[in-house]
Amino acid sequence: MTLSVEPAPPTEAVIEQPRRATSRSRFARSLRRYWQLYLLLLLPIVWFIVFRYVPMANAVIAFKNYNPIDGVWGSPWVGLDNFERLFRNPVFPRLVANTFILAAYTLIASLPLPIVLALALNEVRLRFFKRTVQLVTYAPYFISTVVIVSMTILLLSPRVGLLGRTFSFFGAGQVDLLADADFFRHIYVATDLWTTTGYSAVIYLAALASVDVSLYEAAKIDGASRLQKIRHVDLPALMPTATIILILGVGNIMAIGFEKAFLFQNALNLSTSEIIPTYVYKTGILNANFSLGATIGLFNAVISLVLLLVVNTVSKRVTGSGLW
């Protein structure tokens, strides 16, 4: 009678080695086959390394008493003293609140309008009218921020502006909206919507162009109206794109633009227009307090990263789609 001995099951290390070898061979074959594409990809990777990742090392000045003479690595360490100074600053809570409110207001207001514009343009069958509307709504995106602010200031000027003259004509007197802190956020968001709505609508139009035509035909056979087609065909097709844009917007919620806020800023609306980027510019550049400016920037980056991770995780659990 012979005894058969079953072979021992392979260990995880033995299984892992063929997997690594297989992935390496696949990458080698892909590199030999598509070397032109990898060569094109090399330049953006080098750009990100040089201009994005290498400067991250200079964030160490947030933990130092930076002196330009001693340099980044020669300046003395102070640990978390700069962060303690930042958190004890009575202006800091107002800065965070102003930045978050303005960014959230901009994100909430700018999310639905491009979707509505894209849905409306998708239903238009007259090509000339559709292209004209796209051109009119897309063109403001290419106007410089300085020009946008100058146009807005001239429009809202209490003396020479169109709105100021209209108020004076109806006997309301000279109303300076730019000097009112309560109107700063509304003016900022209104100009942002004018410049970005048409550009963002192009992304949603591209998503609508990929919808299967058979879905529209099936909806038409079922007797669906235009609104029902939009609700049951177009909106579900736009949800993944809208989710990605929302996640990216939340990730950049603390990195709101500096130029427009700084140009709209004056001594009368400072209570709502002073945000983290403008404060970093005044503290780090104008006052030459580079350590405190880097501390605020590092804090801002950490908050943005945490928000991005949280929103991406929630989105994947709720909708099943995310950045990764």
Side-chain angles (χ1 to χ4, degrees):
M1 183 176 180
T2 59
L3 297 177
S4 60
V5 180
E6 296 183 357
T11 61
E12 295 182 358
V14 176
I15 297 175
E16 188 67 23
Q17 291 180 356
R19 288 181 180 176
R20 292 179 180 177
T22 303
S23 61
R24 291 176 182 176
S25 60
R26 288 179 179 177
F27 176 73
R29 289 196 301 267
S30 177
L31 185 61
R32 288 193 300 267
R33 186 174 181 180
Y34 305 107
W35 65 270
Q36 298 93 339
L37 299 179
Y38 284 101
L39 186 62
L40 291 175
L41 188 62
L42 181 62
L43 185 60
I45 293 177
V46 172
W47 184 89
F48 268 97
I49 293 174
V50 173
F51 294 101
R52 293 293 183 179
Y53 288 99
V54 173
M56 287 184 182
N58 294 327
V60 73
I61 66 176
F63 305 93
K64 291 189 172 188
N65 185 13
Y66 176 70
N67 186 353
I69 299 177
D70 298 330
V72 176
W73 303 105
S75 300
W77 287 90
V78 294
L80 299 177
D81 290 349
N82 291 324
F83 289 92
E84 293 180 3
R85 290 173 54 196
L86 176 63
F87 296 145
R88 291 177 180 177
N89 192 337
V91 182
F92 179 70
R94 179 168 60 86
L95 291 176
V96 176
N98 288 342
T99 305
F100 183 81
I101 293 173
L102 183 61
Y105 185 10
T106 305
L107 178 63
I108 294 172
S110 61
L111 186 63
L113 283 183
I115 297 177
V116 174
L117 179 60
L119 292 173
L121 291 176
N122 190 54
E123 295 296 324
V124 174
R125 297 296 176 260
L126 189 59
R127 291 186 177 181
F128 175 77
F129 178 78
K130 183 177 181 179
R131 292 177 180 177
T132 303
V133 173
Q134 282 184 295
L135 177 62
V136 172
T137 57
Y138 190 76
Y141 181 79
F142 298 98
I143 302 177
S144 172
T145 303
V146 177
V147 177
I148 294 293
V149 173
S150 301
M151 293 169 58
T152 307
I153 292 175
L154 290 176
L155 177 65
L156 301 179
S157 175
R159 294 184 178 180
V160 298
L162 176 62
L163 191 61
R165 290 188 175 185
T166 303
F167 286 148
S168 300
F169 178 78
F170 287 102
Q174 294 183 353
V175 180
D176 192 359
L177 298 180
L178 292 173
D180 193 341
D182 295 333
F183 284 94
F184 167 78
R185 296 190 181 109
H186 304 305
I187 296 172
Y188 183 98
V189 173
T191 55
D192 189 79
L193 293 177
W194 180 56
T195 55
T196 60
T197 298
Y199 175 81
S200 301
V202 175
I203 302 175
Y204 295 107
L205 284 172
L208 290 174
S210 63
V211 178
D212 192 355
V213 182
S214 61
L215 297 176
Y216 292 109
E217 296 176 353
K220 186 177 181 180
I221 294 174
D222 292 338
S225 62
R226 282 192 174 185
L227 292 178
Q228 289 174 334
K229 291 179 183 178
I230 292 174
R231 178 182 177 183
H232 298 286
V233 178
D234 292 337
L235 287 179
L238 292 179
M239 283 304 298
T241 304
T243 302
I244 297 300
I245 292 177
L246 177 62
I247 294 173
L248 293 175
V250 173
N252 293 324
I253 199 170
M254 299 297 289
I256 194 169
F258 158 79
E259 296 88 354
K260 189 185 297 184
F262 183 74
L263 293 173
F264 274 133
Q265 195 175 89
N266 54 60
L268 298 177
N269 63 12
L270 203 61
S271 60
T272 56
S273 63
E274 187 73 288
I275 57 178
I276 290 179
T278 59
Y279 188 78
V280 169
Y281 169 74
K282 296 175 183 178
T283 304
I285 305 298
L286 298 184
N287 296 335
N289 194 343
F290 301 106
S291 295
L292 185 58
T295 302
I296 301 174
L298 183 59
F299 169 81
N300 203 16
V302 171
I303 296 299
S304 299
L305 178 61
V306 171
L307 289 175
L308 178 64
L309 295 176
V310 171
V311 173
N312 186 73
T313 303
V314 173
S315 175
K316 289 188 66 176
R317 292 184 178 181
V318 175
T319 64
S321 60
L323 290 177
W324 61 85

